[in-house]
Amino acid sequence: MTATPAPALSALSGQFESIFGSAPDGVWQAPGRVNLIGEHTDYNEGFVLPFAIDKAAKVAVRLRGDSCVRLLSTLGEQGLVETETTALAPGSAKGWTKYPLGVVWALGQLGLDVPGFDLLMDSDVPLGAGLSSSHAIECAVITALNDLTGAGLGLEDMVLATQRAENEFVGAPTGIMDQSASLRGSKGHAVFLDCRNQSVQLIPFDPREAGLVLLVIDTKVSHSHADGGYASRRESCEVGAQVLGVTALRDVGIGDLEEASGLLDSTTFRRVRHIVTENDRVLQTVERLTADGPAHIGLLLDASHASMRDDFEISCPELDLAVETSRAHGAIGARMTGGGFGGSAIALTPVGHEQEVRDAVVRAFAAAGFTTPDVFTVTPAAGAARLA
């Protein structure tokens, strides 16, 4: 990850001290992520290929001698929130605070006695954009608490603890992809994750070296994983696996789809077909990145978007327009990224054409009467770490 400038760290520490009365014990950060390819495959025990990005959540933390937790965001959300570690239960927190408090609750479920603490959070990960702003907060907090309490949790432990926080405390039925990318990311690499066993392989992914940039197009259509759309897709996948007699859709291959079409209703079949073909696209993308580099994955990105649009039905008009316009104006491949129903698209674009793509997308959104999107570049960055 690009190093945070010393003045920014000093500013966060200084703000903490002015608010809470003394300096923090330290400052930690964890990045958001872009999923290059592999959407909704994680909770089906399949394959994903995300990467950590150079936008992150930062937390300044100081442990307390009691069970009081005080939380404040520099973004001005909610004001100072105060609670007790002993009062935490699913549904007991609102807004952004449910993410750090969910981590505390999940650690408690593991039998760890987390003391009270003061925390000041800052983040430049866009909210609701499908770049995992919530997991960035969770991963920064669990990294800080693991360091400060000497809990000795490994990366796998922290991945599963933050997933439990999301699933049971926040109420979002997510898999392990987002926190795996945030905790395990490496500069210039994507994280090839097997969601069945958490095995990880870092795959070289440096668009700039290949004469490319990765544009993120934030459509400004906010989404939430705790709503019905995400949960219903997961339920369809579970039904499909049950009917097909497999532990998870990871166990269904391309060659099994013809038989599956005769066993499943048309909607469930299309959901299953997306997962099966998306797993195959992840494996192909890893092969092409390893052998040939980023310039050879564009058609796989396009195919992934078509599958999410038509089979999994998690796109929206804004995402489709962003993808279509990007491709028409020079991107070699584009797809929506994240859980869907809004959020962001990505466009792998030759260096020198990014402004053309950006301008074309903004014009197209204006012509369609959509909210003006944010278009910016991201680069693969390192994972969660202590900064000070």
Side-chain angles (χ1 to χ4, degrees):
M1 185 183 307
T2 302
T4 301
L9 287 181
S10 298
L12 190 61
S13 295
Q15 284 179 278
F16 182 100
E17 187 167 0
S18 67
I19 294 163
F20 295 112
S22 61
D25 293 332
V27 178
W28 290 259
Q29 77 173 10
R33 66 96 188 93
V34 158
N35 190 23
L36 186 60
I37 197 165
E39 224 63 78
H40 288 260
T41 49
D42 56 346
Y43 56 79
N44 289 287
E45 299 186 14
F47 305 103
V48 293
L49 191 64
F51 61 91
I53 61 174
D54 52 342
K55 295 181 180 294
K58 292 181 280 293
V59 293
V61 182
R62 183 190 63 202
L63 293 186
R64 298 172 57 92
D66 54 22
S67 61
C68 178
V69 177
R70 297 190 295 175
L71 306 168
L72 184 66
S73 167
T74 64
L75 305 179
E77 299 177 29
Q78 294 182 257
L80 183 67
V81 173
E82 186 170 327
T83 188
E84 298 283 328
T85 58
T86 54
L88 298 179
S92 64
K94 298 179 180 179
W96 77 273
T97 65
K98 62 180 175 280
Y99 303 115
L101 293 177
V103 168
V104 176
W105 175 85
L107 292 176
Q109 298 303 298
L110 294 175
L112 297 173
D113 184 17
V114 179
F117 56 90
D118 295 329
L119 180 147
L120 180 64
M121 189 276 293
D122 183 45
S123 179
D124 62 357
V125 183
L127 302 178
L131 302 182
S132 200
S133 57
S134 61
H135 285 91
I137 296 170
E138 292 168 346
C139 291
V141 171
I142 200 168
T143 302
L145 294 178
N146 191 43
D147 283 355
L148 290 174
T149 65
L153 298 177
L155 289 175
E156 290 187 10
D157 301 320
M158 291 195 284
V159 164
L160 294 176
T162 51
Q163 183 193 22
R164 187 170 187 179
E166 279 280 327
N167 293 173
E168 299 181 30
F169 192 89
V170 176
T174 57
I176 63 171
M177 174 183 68
D178 296 345
Q179 53 272 76
S180 295
S182 187
L183 290 164
R184 298 174 180 271
S186 176
K187 184 177 181 180
H189 292 80
V191 178
F192 176 38
L193 172 66
D194 183 333
C195 295
R196 171 160 283 171
N197 60 20
Q198 277 207 63
S199 64
V200 165
Q201 183 181 353
L202 295 176
I203 304 300
F205 179 61
D206 189 342
R208 181 69 63 171
E209 191 175 69
L212 301 165
V213 294
L214 192 80
L215 290 174
V216 173
I217 303 161
D218 178 1
T219 66
K220 298 298 184 179
V221 179
S222 186
H223 72 159
S224 171
H225 284 173
D227 65 16
Y230 189 102
S232 70
R233 297 307 185 277
R234 183 163 185 163
E235 182 180 359
S236 289
C237 292
E238 291 168 352
V239 169
Q242 183 177 21
V243 171
L244 297 176
V246 295
T247 301
L249 293 183
R250 151 73 170 273
D251 301 311
V252 181
I254 297 289
D256 300 320
L257 286 175
E258 183 175 355
E259 181 182 358
S261 68
L263 298 173
L264 302 168
D265 66 85
S266 60
T267 298
T268 304
F269 172 69
R270 285 186 287 109
R271 307 296 188 248
V272 168
R273 181 168 61 188
H274 165 71
I275 299 302
V276 173
T277 57
E278 187 79 345
N279 273 323
D280 185 65
R281 283 186 287 271
V282 174
L283 297 177
Q284 289 189 57
T285 301
V286 169
E287 289 179 4
R288 294 188 188 184
L289 285 175
T290 303
D292 304 309
H296 298 268
I297 66 171
L299 294 179
L300 290 166
L301 302 183
D302 294 343
S304 176
H305 183 78
S307 181
M308 291 184 287
R309 181 192 64 212
D310 301 333
D311 277 354
F312 223 59
E313 296 182 285
I314 56 173
S315 189
C316 65
E318 290 88 347
L319 286 168
D320 292 340
L321 182 61
V323 167
E324 293 160 8
T325 305
S326 298
R327 289 294 278 119
H329 289 269
I332 68 168
R335 65 185 287 272
M336 59 149 283
T337 187
F341 311 102
S344 296
I346 56 174
L348 194 58
T349 304
V351 170
H353 289 266
E354 57 264 40
Q355 192 61 49
E356 178 184 348
V357 171
R358 180 183 285 109
D359 292 344
V361 169
V362 170
R363 288 196 305 270
F365 270 54
F370 296 154
T371 300
T372 302
D374 279 344
V375 185
F376 52 90
T377 61
V378 293
T379 58
R386 183 170 188 159
L387 299 175

